[in-house]
């Protein structure tokens, strides 16, 4: 099976790192319990231009200082023994080097990596069987094309309850979901 894997708030806790640096830039003091929107920069009252300014200033540190979720690295190592793993992230190409360095530092095994916001097209072109992601808009987009998504639970995606979207609250559940998809043969998309 070819598995597409998102990074931020899927493999690693990006929220805590973003909040640390966004709080530093704004002088505010939000914590992860305050986040209930995928676009949590809106907590700060920023528009996208303001977010980009802060993100480009602190992006390297945000990405380097994000911690892997429990069992993420171990499960990915195990999955890589039997499956093709493609990292598919919407991070800008500007942060390619820090991303690759982070993956190497934490021992994350993968076959390929793509930096794109058009994850659907990337997965179709690469013949990805299932995507593991946290973004509600990607889950809906993939489900509409009958491509299974394992939605890594976050406070901002709890409302997504549609066919082809399988929820997982941790990496042991992600592994179980992948096994279930493999057995049921649901995971073929092309």
């Amino acid at each position: 099976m070819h598995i597409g894997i998102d990074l931020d708030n899927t493999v690693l806790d990006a929220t805590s790192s973003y909040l640390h640096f966004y709080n530093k830039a704004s002088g505010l003091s939000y914590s992860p319990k305050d986040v209930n929107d995928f676009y949590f920069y809106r907590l700060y009252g920023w528009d996208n231009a303001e977010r980009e300014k802060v993100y480009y200033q602190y992006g390297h540190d945000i990405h380097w200082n994000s911690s892997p979720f429990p069992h993420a690295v171990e499960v990915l190592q195990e999955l890589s023994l039997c499956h093709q793993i493609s990292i598919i992230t919407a991070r800008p190409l500007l942060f390619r080097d820090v991303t690759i360095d982070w993956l190497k530092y934490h021992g994350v095994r993968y076959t390929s990596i793509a930096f794109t916001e058009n994850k659907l097209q990337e997965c179709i072109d690469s013949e990805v069987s299932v995507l593991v992601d946290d973004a509600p808009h990607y889950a809906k987009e993939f489900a509409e094309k009958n491509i299974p998504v394992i939605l890594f639970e976050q406070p901002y995606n709890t409302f997504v309850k549609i066919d082809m979207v399988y929820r997982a609250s941790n990496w042991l559940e992600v592994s179980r979901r992948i096994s279930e998809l493999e057995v049921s043969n649901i995971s073929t998309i092309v």
Side-chain angles (χ1 to χ4, degrees), residues 128-176:
V128 165
S129 308
V130 60
L131 177 69
V132 183
D133 207 300
D134 66 302
H137 59 283
Y138 288 128
K140 289 178 185 178
E141 183 181 31
F142 277 64
E144 287 172 3
K145 298 293 185 185
N146 290 319
I147 301 170
V149 175
I150 298 171
L151 191 61
F152 199 86
E153 290 186 354
Q154 295 292 344
Y156 48 77
N157 69 25
T158 57
F159 67 91
V160 178
K161 295 176 183 6
I162 50 181
D163 288 344
M164 302 302 289
V165 175
Y166 305 90
R167 304 191 75 75
S169 62
N170 60 58
W171 273 89
L172 299 177
E173 288 182 14
V174 169
S175 179
R176 183 176 55 80

Coordinates of all heavy atoms in Angstrom, one line a residue, residues 128-176:
V128 N -1.3 7.2 -4.4 CA -1.4 7.0 -3.0 C -2.7 6.3 -2.7 O -3.8 6.7 -3.2 CB -1.3 8.4 -2.2 CG1 -1.7 8.3 -0.8 CG2 0.2 8.9 -2.3
S129 N -2.7 5.3 -1.8 CA -3.9 4.6 -1.5 C -4.7 5.2 -0.4 O -5.9 5.0 -0.4 CB -3.4 3.2 -1.0 OG -2.6 2.6 -1.9
V130 N -4.1 5.8 0.6 CA -4.8 6.4 1.7 C -3.9 7.6 2.2 O -2.7 7.5 2.2 CB -5.0 5.4 2.8 CG1 -3.7 4.8 3.4 CG2 -5.8 6.0 4.0
L131 N -4.6 8.7 2.6 CA -3.9 9.8 3.2 C -4.2 9.9 4.7 O -5.3 9.7 5.1 CB -4.4 11.1 2.5 CG -3.8 12.4 3.1 CD1 -2.3 12.5 2.7 CD2 -4.6 13.6 2.6
V132 N -3.1 10.2 5.5 CA -3.3 10.4 6.9 C -3.1 11.9 7.1 O -2.0 12.4 6.8 CB -2.3 9.6 7.8 CG1 -2.5 9.9 9.3 CG2 -2.4 8.1 7.4
D133 N -4.1 12.6 7.6 CA -4.0 14.1 7.6 C -4.9 14.6 8.7 O -5.8 13.8 9.2 CB -4.5 14.7 6.3 CG -3.9 16.0 6.0 OD1 -4.1 17.0 6.8 OD2 -3.2 16.2 5.0
D134 N -4.8 15.8 9.1 CA -5.6 16.4 10.2 C -6.6 17.5 9.6 O -7.5 17.9 10.3 CB -4.8 17.1 11.3 CG -4.0 18.3 10.7 OD1 -3.2 18.1 9.8 OD2 -4.2 19.4 11.2
A135 N -6.4 17.9 8.4 CA -7.2 19.0 7.8 C -8.6 18.6 7.4 O -8.7 17.7 6.6 CB -6.4 19.6 6.7
P136 N -9.6 19.3 7.9 CA -10.9 18.9 7.5 C -11.2 19.1 6.1 O -11.9 18.3 5.4 CB -11.8 19.8 8.4 CG -10.9 20.9 9.0 CD -9.5 20.3 8.9
H137 N -10.6 20.2 5.5 CA -10.9 20.4 4.0 C -10.3 19.3 3.1 O -10.9 18.9 2.1 CB -10.5 21.8 3.6 CG -9.0 22.1 3.8 ND1 -8.5 22.4 5.0 CD2 -8.0 22.2 2.9 CE1 -7.2 22.6 4.9 NE2 -6.9 22.5 3.6
Y138 N -9.1 18.8 3.5 CA -8.6 17.7 2.7 C -9.4 16.4 2.9 O -9.6 15.7 2.0 CB -7.1 17.4 3.1 CG -6.1 18.5 2.7 CD1 -5.3 19.1 3.6 CD2 -6.1 18.9 1.3 CE1 -4.4 20.0 3.1 CE2 -5.2 19.9 0.9 CZ -4.4 20.5 1.8 OH -3.5 21.4 1.4
A139 N -9.9 16.2 4.1 CA -10.7 15.0 4.4 C -11.9 15.0 3.5 O -12.3 14.0 2.8 CB -11.1 14.9 5.8
K140 N -12.6 16.1 3.4 CA -13.8 16.3 2.6 C -13.5 16.1 1.1 O -14.2 15.4 0.4 CB -14.5 17.6 2.8 CG -15.1 17.8 4.2 CD -15.7 19.2 4.3 CE -16.3 19.4 5.7 NZ -16.8 20.7 5.8
E141 N -12.4 16.8 0.7 CA -12.0 16.7 -0.8 C -11.7 15.3 -1.2 O -12.1 14.9 -2.3 CB -10.8 17.6 -0.9 CG -10.3 17.8 -2.3 CD -9.1 18.7 -2.4 OE1 -8.2 18.8 -1.5 OE2 -8.9 19.3 -3.5
F142 N -10.9 14.6 -0.4 CA -10.6 13.2 -0.7 C -11.8 12.3 -0.7 O -12.0 11.5 -1.5 CB -9.5 12.7 0.3 CG -8.1 13.1 -0.1 CD1 -7.7 14.4 -0.2 CD2 -7.2 12.1 -0.5 CE1 -6.4 14.8 -0.5 CE2 -5.9 12.5 -0.9 CZ -5.5 13.8 -0.9
A143 N -12.6 12.5 0.3 CA -13.8 11.6 0.4 C -14.7 11.8 -0.8 O -15.3 10.8 -1.3 CB -14.6 12.0 1.7
E144 N -14.8 13.0 -1.3 CA -15.7 13.3 -2.5 C -15.1 12.5 -3.7 O -15.9 12.2 -4.6 CB -15.7 14.8 -2.8 CG -16.6 15.5 -1.8 CD -16.5 17.0 -2.0 OE1 -15.7 17.5 -2.9 OE2 -17.1 17.8 -1.2
K145 N -13.9 12.2 -3.7 CA -13.2 11.4 -4.8 C -13.1 9.9 -4.4 O -12.4 9.2 -5.1 CB -11.9 12.0 -5.1 CG -11.9 13.4 -5.6 CD -12.6 13.5 -6.9 CE -12.5 14.9 -7.4 NZ -13.2 15.1 -8.7
N146 N -13.8 9.5 -3.3 CA -13.7 8.1 -2.8 C -12.3 7.6 -2.5 O -11.9 6.5 -2.7 CB -14.4 7.2 -3.8 CG -15.9 7.4 -3.9 OD1 -16.5 7.6 -2.8 ND2 -16.4 7.4 -5.1
I147 N -11.5 8.5 -2.0 CA -10.1 8.2 -1.6 C -10.2 8.2 0.0 O -10.5 9.2 0.6 CB -9.1 9.2 -2.1 CG1 -9.1 9.3 -3.6 CG2 -7.7 8.9 -1.5 CD1 -8.3 10.4 -4.2
P148 N -9.8 7.1 0.6 CA -9.9 7.0 2.1 C -8.9 8.0 2.7 O -7.8 8.2 2.2 CB -9.6 5.6 2.4 CG -9.0 5.0 1.2 CD -9.4 5.8 0.0
V149 N -9.3 8.5 3.8 CA -8.5 9.4 4.6 C -8.6 8.9 6.1 O -9.7 8.7 6.6 CB -9.0 10.9 4.6 CG1 -8.2 11.8 5.5 CG2 -8.9 11.4 3.2
I150 N -7.5 8.8 6.7 CA -7.4 8.6 8.2 C -7.2 10.0 8.8 O -6.2 10.6 8.6 CB -6.3 7.7 8.6 CG1 -6.6 6.3 7.9 CG2 -6.3 7.5 10.1 CD1 -5.4 5.3 8.1
L151 N -8.3 10.5 9.4 CA -8.3 11.9 9.9 C -7.7 11.8 11.3 O -8.4 11.3 12.2 CB -9.7 12.5 9.9 CG -9.8 14.0 10.2 CD1 -9.0 14.8 9.1 CD2 -11.3 14.4 10.2
F152 N -6.5 12.4 11.5 CA -5.9 12.5 12.8 C -6.7 13.5 13.6 O -6.7 14.7 13.3 CB -4.4 12.8 12.7 CG -3.6 12.5 13.9 CD1 -3.1 11.2 14.1 CD2 -3.4 13.4 14.9 CE1 -2.4 10.9 15.2 CE2 -2.7 13.1 16.0 CZ -2.2 11.8 16.2
E153 N -7.3 13.1 14.7 CA -8.2 13.9 15.5 C -7.5 15.1 16.1 O -6.5 15.0 16.7 CB -8.9 13.1 16.5 CG -9.9 12.2 16.0 CD -10.7 11.4 17.0 OE1 -10.5 11.6 18.2 OE2 -11.6 10.7 16.6
Q154 N -8.2 16.3 15.8 CA -7.8 17.6 16.4 C -9.1 18.3 16.7 O -10.1 18.0 16.1 CB -7.0 18.4 15.4 CG -5.6 17.8 15.1 CD -4.6 17.8 16.2 OE1 -4.8 18.5 17.2 NE2 -3.6 17.0 16.1
P155 N -9.1 19.2 17.6 CA -10.3 19.9 18.0 C -11.0 20.6 16.9 O -12.3 20.7 16.9 CB -9.8 21.0 19.0 CG -8.5 20.5 19.5 CD -7.9 19.7 18.4
Y156 N -10.3 20.9 15.8 CA -10.9 21.6 14.7 C -11.5 20.7 13.6 O -11.9 21.2 12.6 CB -9.9 22.6 14.1 CG -8.6 22.0 13.9 CD1 -8.3 21.2 12.8 CD2 -7.5 22.3 14.7 CE1 -7.0 20.7 12.6 CE2 -6.3 21.8 14.5 CZ -6.0 21.0 13.5 OH -4.8 20.4 13.3
N157 N -11.4 19.4 13.8 CA -11.9 18.5 12.8 C -13.0 17.5 13.3 O -13.4 16.6 12.6 CB -10.8 17.8 12.0 CG -10.1 16.8 12.9 OD1 -10.6 16.2 13.8 ND2 -8.8 16.5 12.5
T158 N -13.4 17.7 14.5 CA -14.4 16.8 15.1 C -15.7 16.7 14.3 O -16.4 15.7 14.4 CB -14.6 17.1 16.6 OG1 -15.1 18.4 16.7 CG2 -13.4 16.9 17.4
F159 N -16.1 17.8 13.6 CA -17.4 17.8 12.9 C -17.4 17.0 11.7 O -18.4 16.7 11.1 CB -17.7 19.3 12.6 CG -16.8 19.9 11.6 CD1 -17.1 19.8 10.2 CD2 -15.6 20.5 12.0 CE1 -16.2 20.4 9.3 CE2 -14.7 21.1 11.1 CZ -15.0 21.0 9.7
V160 N -16.2 16.5 11.2 CA -16.2 15.8 9.9 C -16.6 14.4 10.2 O -15.9 13.6 10.9 CB -14.7 15.8 9.3 CG1 -14.7 15.0 8.1 CG2 -14.3 17.2 9.1
K161 N -17.7 14.0 9.6 CA -18.3 12.7 9.8 C -18.9 12.2 8.5 O -20.1 12.3 8.3 CB -19.4 12.7 10.9 CG -18.8 13.0 12.3 CD -19.9 13.1 13.3 CE -19.6 13.5 14.7 NZ -18.4 13.9 15.2
I162 N -18.0 11.8 7.6 CA -18.5 11.4 6.3 C -17.8 10.1 5.9 O -16.8 9.7 6.4 CB -18.2 12.5 5.2 CG1 -16.7 12.9 5.3 CG2 -19.1 13.6 5.3 CD1 -16.3 14.0 4.3
D163 N -18.5 9.4 4.9 CA -17.9 8.1 4.4 C -16.5 8.4 3.9 O -16.2 9.4 3.3 CB -18.8 7.5 3.3 CG -20.1 7.0 3.8 OD1 -20.2 6.8 5.0 OD2 -21.0 6.8 3.0
M164 N -15.7 7.4 4.0 CA -14.3 7.3 3.5 C -13.3 8.1 4.4 O -12.2 8.2 4.1 CB -14.2 7.9 2.0 CG -15.0 7.1 1.0 SD -14.6 5.3 0.9 CE -13.0 5.3 0.2
V165 N -13.9 8.6 5.5 CA -13.0 9.3 6.5 C -13.0 8.5 7.8 O -14.1 8.2 8.4 CB -13.5 10.8 6.8 CG1 -12.7 11.4 7.9 CG2 -13.4 11.6 5.5
Y166 N -11.9 8.0 8.1 CA -11.7 7.1 9.3 C -10.9 7.9 10.3 O -9.8 8.3 10.1 CB -11.0 5.8 8.9 CG -11.7 5.1 7.7 CD1 -11.3 5.4 6.4 CD2 -12.7 4.2 7.9 CE1 -12.0 4.8 5.3 CE2 -13.4 3.6 6.9 CZ -13.0 3.9 5.6 OH -13.7 3.3 4.5
R167 N -11.4 8.0 11.5 CA -10.8 8.8 12.6 C -9.8 8.0 13.3 O -9.9 6.8 13.5 CB -11.9 9.3 13.5 CG -13.0 10.1 12.8 CD -13.9 10.8 13.7 NE -13.3 12.0 14.3 CZ -13.1 13.1 13.6 NH1 -13.4 13.2 12.4 NH2 -12.5 14.1 14.2
A168 N -8.8 8.7 13.8 CA -7.7 8.1 14.7 C -7.3 9.2 15.6 O -7.0 10.3 15.2 CB -6.6 7.6 13.8
S169 N -7.2 8.9 16.9 CA -6.8 9.8 17.9 C -5.4 9.7 18.3 O -4.9 10.5 19.1 CB -7.7 9.8 19.1 OG -7.6 8.5 19.7
N170 N -4.7 8.7 17.8 CA -3.3 8.5 18.1 C -2.7 7.6 17.0 O -3.4 7.1 16.2 CB -3.1 7.9 19.5 CG -3.7 6.6 19.7 OD1 -3.4 5.6 18.9 ND2 -4.6 6.5 20.6
W171 N -1.3 7.4 17.1 CA -0.7 6.7 16.0 C -0.9 5.1 16.1 O -0.8 4.5 15.1 CB 0.8 7.0 16.0 CG 0.9 8.2 15.1 CD1 0.8 9.5 15.4 CD2 1.0 8.2 13.7 NE1 0.8 10.3 14.3 CE2 0.9 9.5 13.2 CE3 1.1 7.2 12.7 CZ2 1.0 9.8 11.9 CZ3 1.2 7.5 11.4 CH2 1.1 8.8 11.0
L172 N -1.2 4.6 17.3 CA -1.6 3.2 17.3 C -2.9 3.0 16.6 O -3.0 2.0 15.9 CB -1.6 2.8 18.8 CG -0.3 2.9 19.6 CD1 -0.5 2.5 21.0 CD2 0.8 2.1 18.9
E173 N -3.8 3.9 16.7 CA -5.1 3.8 16.0 C -4.8 4.0 14.5 O -5.5 3.4 13.7 CB -6.1 4.8 16.5 CG -6.6 4.5 17.8 CD -7.7 5.5 18.3 OE1 -8.2 6.3 17.5 OE2 -8.0 5.4 19.5
V174 N -3.9 4.9 14.1 CA -3.6 5.0 12.7 C -3.1 3.7 12.1 O -3.6 3.2 11.1 CB -2.5 6.1 12.5 CG1 -2.0 6.1 11.0 CG2 -3.0 7.5 12.8
S175 N -2.2 3.0 12.8 CA -1.7 1.7 12.4 C -2.9 0.7 12.3 O -2.9 0.0 11.3 CB -0.7 1.2 13.4 OG -0.2 0.0 13.0
R176 N -3.8 0.7 13.2 CA -4.9 -0.2 13.2 C -5.8 0.1 12.0 O -6.2 -0.8 11.3 CB -5.7 -0.1 14.5 CG -6.9 -1.1 14.6 CD -7.6 -1.1 15.9 NE -8.1 0.2 16.3 CZ -9.2 0.8 15.8 NH1 -9.9 0.2 15.0 NH2 -9.5 2.0 16.3

